[in-house]
Amino acid sequence: MTEGKNIMYFEDGREKETNETVGGVLWPEPGMPHELLNSSDWQYRNVLIEIKTAPSGADLTKR
């Protein structure tokens, strides 16, 4: 939603700087918990979409 300069802190201790753009997509590693710190001089806004798998044996047609 806005440009952003951020730092991703991963549970395993790694850090990754990001320079996000309006309309851009960022794919963090699946299953790797992280926190995001806005290091910009402005308010950063994004939309987070998490793709999850259905539990084994789940019947999604009954929704």
Side-chain angles (χ1 to χ4, degrees), residues 10-33:
F10 294 92
E11 190 174 69
D12 64 3
R14 290 181 296 123
E15 296 178 12
K16 178 180 177 181
E17 291 185 21
T18 66
N19 289 303
E20 298 170 47
T21 59
V22 174
V25 176
L26 178 66
W27 292 90
E29 297 175 40
M32 180 62 67

Side-chain angles (χ1 to χ4, degrees), residues 37-54:
L37 173 70
N38 178 10
S39 58
S40 310
D41 293 342
W42 56 88
Q43 185 177 30
Y44 168 71
R45 292 182 181 204
N46 68 3
V47 174
L48 175 64
I49 299 172
E50 292 188 20
I51 301 172
K52 303 200 180 213
T53 58

